[in-house]
Amino acid sequence: MVKNKIAMLDVSELMRPELAFASKPIGRYRDYNIDYEDPIKERVRITYTEMHTNQTIDYVKKKMAEWLSFDKFEATIMEALESLNDLVDESDPDVDIPNIVHAFQTAERIRAVHPHHDWFHLVGLIHDLGKVMAFKGEPQWSVVGDTFPVGCAWANSIVYKDTTFNKNPDTYDPRYKFHSFYPWHSGGDYDYLCNEDDLEMKKWVLEFNKFDLYTKGGVIPDVKELKPYYQSLIDKYIPGLLKWYALNFSKMIFKTCEVILCSNKRLIFRCNSNFVPKHKPVQSSDVNTLDRFIKEHKKILVLTGAGISTESGIPDYRSADVGLYARSKNRPVIYQQFVNDPEVRIRYWARNYVGWPRFSSMSPNYAHEFLKKLEDKNKIVHIITQNVDNLHTKAGSKNVLELHGTAYVVHCLNCDYTIDRHRFQDVLSSLNPQVSIKELYNLRPDGDVELTPEEISGFKVPKCPKCEGNLLIPHIVFFGDNIPKKRVQRVNEFVEQCDSLLVMGSSLFVYSGYRIVLETKSANKSVAVVNIGPTRADDCINFKIEAKFGEILPLLNL
C-alpha cells in the first residue's frame, strides 16, 4: 500500500525566500530546531553541516570539471527517471516513496494549469534528474537538500546558515563577502543586469516554483498510466539515447563510470575502482545460485570485510595487485607499538589526521545499499562487519555490529573519556596549523595515509583532557589486540539465531572472521561467500562466488 509521502523531496521549503511561500503554514514542514538527542534531526543537521562545510568555489570547479564531459554513459530520459526509484534523501527524515512520484506529481500539476504548454509539463517531469549523481558515488550532501550559490555571502534564508558555515574556508575569504544571489527571483534585485531573455526565463522560474513547492504530498499519481503521455513528450523534445555526464569521482580512485542496461530495463551504475582486484564477468549460474541462497533463507547472518568497501574507494589489505600489502611495504601499526612508543603514536595520528577528511567522506556503494534492503525485508539477523568505515550505518542499516570497532570514535586507554572523531579532528587541527591536507595521498584501509618523516616532524598529539594521559586511540581493535569478550558473546548469539551465513568481501585470513564461519558450519548451517580471490575458508563452505558486488547484486530478483 502506497503511503502519502514522497521520497527525495527538497527539504528547503521552510527556509526558502519565495514570496508565494510566505503564507504557507509552517507546521506542515520540517522542524529544523537542533536536537542532538533526536537521531532524525541530527541526521538532517549533519547532512547540511557537511554540505555547508565542503561546498566551496574550489569544490564546485572541481565537480564541474568532473561532470561536464557528457561522455560517461547513455540512457533515455525515462530510464534515468526510473533509476531514482531507490534513492532516499538523507536531508529529509519524513519521506519513503521514490522521487519519480514527485516528478509526475509536479508535471501533472503544471499540466492542469498550463494544458497547452507541453514543454512545461516535461520540465516538471525532469527537474530533479540531476539527482542521478547520488548513484555515482557522490555524497548526498553534494546532491540533495537546500541549494545555495557559492562565491558570495551566505544568504540568511539558507537552512542552518548561522551554525554550519564556520568550517567552510570561503566564509573567511574577503572576495565573497559582498552580496548573496537569492534575491534575483524573489526580491527583484539584479534585474538591471538582465536582458529580455533573462526576464522571460525568470517569469517561468517563478511559475515553476509554485508547482515544485506545493505538490509534495496529496494525490499520488498513477505513474504507469501517465507514462505513455510523458513518453510522447520525451520523444518530441528529448528523444532516444542521451549522453549523460557521470562521475569520475577522484582520478586517483575511479577510472571510469558506466551504465549497464539489464534485460528488465533497469539501469545499473557502477564505478571501476582501482582497489577492486581483477575478476571475471558475472556468470548467470552465479547469479542464480546467490539469488536462490537468499530466497531460501530467512535469518541470514552477514559478515562483511574490507572487500565490500573497495567499490567506495577504500582499499583493502590483501587483494592481489591492488591491496595495501601488494602496493606498499608498510604494515599497520601493532597495538603494543602504539601503547609503548610515543613516536609511533605521533606518526599514527599525523597520518590519520591527514587521511581523515577523505576517509570520512566516503559513501556507501551498491553492496551496502543492498544489505539495507535485505534488512528492510527482514531477511537479515544482523550485519557483522570487520570494517571501521561506518559505511553500513551511512547506508541506513540499523543492526550492525562493528567487530573491530569504529574509526569514528576516539577514547582514552587510561580512563573513560571519549570524543567524536570529527571533533577530535578539530582538536588536532588547532594544535597543528602548519600541516596541510592534500588530496593526493594514498589512502590506507583504516583511513590513514603514508607520510614522509619530514611531513610528520613537529606534529602534536593532545593529552586526554580528563586524566592528562597520553593514550588517546581510535575505538578500533588494532592488530595484536583482542576483541572485547562482550562483543564475542554477541557474535555467538547471532550465530545461534541465524539459519545461514553470507560472507561478503572478506578473505577470512583474520581469525575473528574465520571463527564465525567455523562456528556456523559446526552448527550445520549453510555458508556462502562472495569475494574476489581466495579465502581461508574455501575448503569448508557451501559455495563461493567471485564477482564484483556492483555487477552481481543488481541482477538478483529480490
Side-chain angles (χ1 to χ4, degrees):
M1 181 176 179
V2 177
K3 297 179 182 178
N4 232 2
K5 295 181 180 179
I6 313 300
M8 281 299 298
L9 305 187
D10 183 353
V11 299
S12 63
E13 293 101 335
L14 183 61
M15 301 299 182
R16 277 175 142 174
E18 283 86 351
L19 295 177
F21 178 72
S23 61
K24 190 156 186 168
I26 199 167
R28 293 179 58 189
Y29 292 91
R30 306 295 174 263
D31 178 8
Y32 288 96
N33 290 322
I34 295 175
D35 184 353
Y36 296 109
E37 302 301 319
D38 187 324
I40 295 178
K41 288 183 179 179
E42 184 65 0
R43 183 189 70 187
V44 174
R45 184 192 68 82
I46 289 174
T47 298
Y48 278 105
T49 299
E50 291 177 332
M51 180 194 307
H52 296 166
T53 298
N54 294 292
Q55 290 195 18
T56 64
I57 283 284
D58 290 339
Y59 180 86
V60 170
K61 289 180 178 179
K62 175 183 175 183
K63 291 302 171 185
M64 287 177 66
E66 292 175 354
W67 278 84
L68 296 181
S69 58
F70 291 90
D71 62 354
K72 302 301 188 295
F73 72 94
E74 293 184 344
T76 67
I77 290 291
M78 193 62 72
E79 287 164 355
L81 278 168
E82 290 173 349
S83 74
L84 295 179
N85 272 337
D86 297 327
L87 200 60
V88 177
D89 189 341
E90 292 178 356
S91 65
D92 190 338
D94 299 321
V95 292
D96 57 9
I97 291 178
N99 193 73
I100 192 173
V101 177
H102 171 57
F104 279 91
Q105 271 189 324
T106 304
E108 280 295 282
R109 285 291 303 276
I110 292 174
R111 183 181 176 188
V113 178
H114 299 276
H116 303 300
H117 293 293
D118 62 355
W119 64 268
F120 201 18
H121 311 167
L122 185 58
V123 169
L125 185 72
I126 68 174
H127 74 279
D128 270 344
L129 272 187
K131 292 174 181 176
V132 297
M133 297 192 307
F135 285 101
K136 312 296 289 185
E138 287 283 27
Q140 284 212 22
W141 55 258
S142 186
V143 179
V144 303
D146 180 58
T147 57
F148 62 95
V150 297
C152 56
W154 315 124
N156 290 328
S157 55
I158 298 175
V159 176
Y160 300 119
K161 181 256 184 181
D162 293 330
T163 59
T164 56
F165 282 101
N166 58 310
K167 295 180 183 178
N168 187 312
D170 287 1
T171 300
Y172 310 101
D173 192 320
R175 294 175 296 174
Y176 311 143
K177 290 289 187 179
F178 297 105
H179 56 76
S180 71
F181 196 67
Y182 268 143
W184 175 71
H185 66 287
S186 62
D189 290 9
Y190 305 103
D191 280 352
Y192 65 93
L193 298 175
C194 299
N195 59 25
E196 291 181 2
D197 290 340
D198 296 327
L199 293 175
E200 179 68 10
M201 179 63 71
K202 180 180 179 180
K203 180 183 74 174
W204 287 107
V205 169
L206 293 173
E207 185 67 7
F208 175 77
N209 282 345
K210 298 177 184 177
F211 303 99
D212 189 26
L213 289 174
Y214 294 103
T215 58
K216 298 176 179 181
V219 178
I220 302 299
D222 187 332
V223 173
K224 184 176 181 180
E225 181 179 331
L226 293 172
K227 270 187 178 181
Y229 170 74
Y230 286 99
Q231 185 62 57
S232 70
L233 298 188
I234 292 171
D235 293 338
K236 178 180 178 180
Y237 291 104
I238 323 174
L241 284 173
L242 306 178
K243 291 185 176 180
W244 296 69
Y245 37 87
L247 185 62
N248 188 19
F249 196 59
S250 167
K251 292 180 176 61
M252 275 191 61
I253 301 173
F254 295 115
K255 292 179 179 176
T256 60
C257 270
E258 59 185 320
V259 163
I260 306 169
L261 192 56
C262 294
S263 58
N264 63 358
K265 301 300 183 184
R266 182 178 182 184
L267 285 174
I268 302 170
F269 297 92
R270 65 185 189 184
C271 290
N272 295 331
S273 169
N274 285 348
F275 303 132
V276 177
K278 293 180 181 179
H279 55 284
K280 296 179 180 180
V282 175
Q283 304 297 309
S284 59
S285 58
D286 288 338
V287 175
N288 294 334
T289 298
L290 184 58
D291 189 76
R292 185 166 55 251
F293 176 86
I294 294 174
K295 287 180 177 177
E296 289 178 351
H297 296 95
K298 302 183 183 302
K299 297 181 179 180
I300 303 172
L301 178 61
V302 178
L303 172 64
T304 67
I308 199 174
S309 296
T310 56
E311 293 175 46
S312 291
I314 301 175
D316 63 9
Y317 286 107
R318 296 177 176 84
S319 285
D321 300 323
V322 295
L324 177 67
Y325 293 164
R327 296 182 293 109
S328 172
K329 294 181 179 179
N330 292 326
R331 294 296 180 264
V333 171
I334 304 301
Y335 176 76
Q336 289 78 11
Q337 294 174 332
F338 186 97
V339 172
N340 297 325
D341 192 337
E343 293 301 318
V344 170
R345 293 196 292 273
I346 292 173
R347 184 169 68 248
Y348 176 87
W349 277 119
R351 299 187 314 195
N352 192 274
Y353 169 72
V354 174
W356 177 252
R358 188 162 139 210
F359 179 77
S360 61
S361 69
M362 293 301 182
S363 299
N365 59 56
Y366 194 97
H368 300 98
E369 302 290 349
F370 174 82
L371 291 178
K372 171 62 168 62
K373 292 178 183 178
L374 285 187
E375 184 181 77
D376 291 343
K377 293 176 180 291
N378 296 317
K379 296 284 288 184
I380 292 178
V381 169
H382 219 85
I383 298 172
I384 301 173
T385 183
Q386 296 172 290
N387 303 331
V388 299
D389 53 30
N390 203 39
L391 292 186
H392 286 298
T393 301
K394 286 184 178 181
S397 292
K398 299 294 189 294
N399 301 314
V400 180
L401 175 65
E402 294 169 313
L403 189 63
H404 296 157
T406 175
Y408 281 70
V409 176
V410 176
H411 72 124
C412 177
L413 291 176
N414 291 330
C415 69
D416 59 359
Y417 175 78
T418 62
I419 183 174
D420 176 82
R421 179 63 185 81
H422 288 293
R423 291 180 56 199
F424 191 66
Q425 185 77 356
D426 295 337
V427 175
L428 292 175
S429 179
S430 65
L431 292 176
N432 300 281
Q434 79 285 358
V435 179
S436 62
I437 297 179
K438 305 173 184 178
E439 296 185 0
L440 299 180
Y441 291 107
N442 290 322
L443 190 68
R444 294 154 63 94
D446 290 335
D448 55 343
V449 298
E450 297 180 11
L451 299 178
T452 65
E454 292 75 19
E455 290 173 313
I456 295 172
S457 177
F459 192 84
K460 297 181 178 63
V461 179
K463 293 185 177 181
C464 172
K466 185 173 183 178
C467 70
E468 296 294 319
N470 292 308
L471 290 177
L472 291 176
I473 186 173
H475 218 308
I476 63 178
V477 178
F478 278 61
F479 284 83
D481 195 7
N482 296 315
I483 297 174
K485 291 183 179 180
K486 289 185 178 179
R487 204 173 297 167
V488 173
Q489 291 173 354
R490 291 193 66 196
V491 171
N492 295 337
E493 293 171 358
F494 296 144
V495 171
E496 291 181 7
Q497 296 170 12
C498 76
D499 62 11
S500 58
L501 173 67
L502 175 60
V503 180
M504 299 176 64
S506 178
S507 66
L508 300 171
F509 281 98
V510 176
Y511 187 75
S512 59
Y514 180 53
R515 184 183 67 84
I516 298 174
V517 172
L518 296 179
E519 290 189 358
T520 306
K521 288 301 297 181
S522 67
N524 295 317
K525 298 176 181 180
S526 298
V527 177
V529 174
V530 182
N531 185 71
I532 300 174
T535 79
R536 190 175 181 179
D538 282 354
D539 294 334
C540 65
I541 58 180
N542 293 77
F543 67 86
K544 186 181 80 171
I545 294 171
E546 296 201 28
K548 185 178 176 182
F549 294 113
E551 294 177 0
I552 190 171
L553 297 181
L555 302 177
L556 302 182
N557 295 314
L558 298 177

